[in-house]
Amino acid sequence: MMYTLTVRDHMMVAHSFTGDMFGPAQRLHGATFVVDAAFRAAELDENGVVVDIGRASDVLRDILSSLTYRNLDDDPRFAGVNTTTERLCEFIAEQLATAARTGTLGRDAGDLHGIAVTLHESHVAWASYELEL
């Protein structure tokens, strides 16, 4: 059995891709993503939660604020990398895992099973990345 707590936010970025397979997306374009961050645990903590919803929301908002309204092509964290939806999921999940490991979510990361991040590009297309802690 696994418990899951999910928080949601959004971000708006600009970026371009390298590679013929991306067609017109090779040009600079904007993207708006709905972002879901799911935290999983086999057991609830002493307060009866997976993680603190408020803290999880704040951490996600902080991560996304470092990306939103920015051209990701200019961000050194993504130098030489196509900032595909999948790659952005991974980046956000890794940032959330760091927050979990430092206790920012109000629970020891060792008590969490994993974190999954889903970016919705539209109502018909999305990608996810999940990591175990």
Side-chain angles (χ1 to χ4, degrees):
M1 260 203 272
M2 197 66 56
Y3 293 96
T4 302
L5 170 88
T6 303
V7 294
R8 177 174 275 184
D9 207 326
H10 73 284
M11 68 177 180
M12 294 174 272
V13 302
H15 61 171
S16 62
F17 297 130
T18 301
D20 290 340
M21 74 166 285
F22 293 105
Q26 292 178 83
R27 294 188 299 272
L28 185 63
H29 63 279
T32 299
F33 296 99
V34 172
V35 182
D36 291 329
F39 303 87
R40 296 195 173 91
E43 302 288 333
L44 299 178
D45 73 4
E46 66 277 2
N47 299 301
V49 300
V50 175
V51 295
D52 182 278
I53 289 175
R55 289 182 183 195
S57 296
D58 290 346
V59 170
L60 180 60
R61 185 177 312 110
D62 288 346
I63 294 166
L64 299 182
S65 71
S66 78
L67 302 171
T68 202
Y69 296 123
R70 290 179 171 69
N71 181 350
L72 301 182
D73 297 348
D74 297 334
D75 190 321
R77 298 174 293 181
F78 301 113
V81 174
N82 279 330
T83 51
T84 61
T85 305
E86 295 88 341
R87 290 282 186 212
L88 293 174
C89 287
E90 177 185 23
F91 175 81
I92 295 165
E94 293 292 345
Q95 298 293 307
L96 290 168
T98 298
R101 291 182 187 110
T102 60
T104 307
L105 299 174
R107 182 175 187 169
D108 185 87
D111 294 335
L112 292 174
H113 177 73
I115 296 172
V117 173
T118 302
L119 268 67
H120 303 264
E121 286 193 60
S122 72
H123 65 288
V124 297
W126 56 90
S128 297
Y129 178 81
E130 184 169 348
L131 58 85
E132 291 185 14
L133 294 175

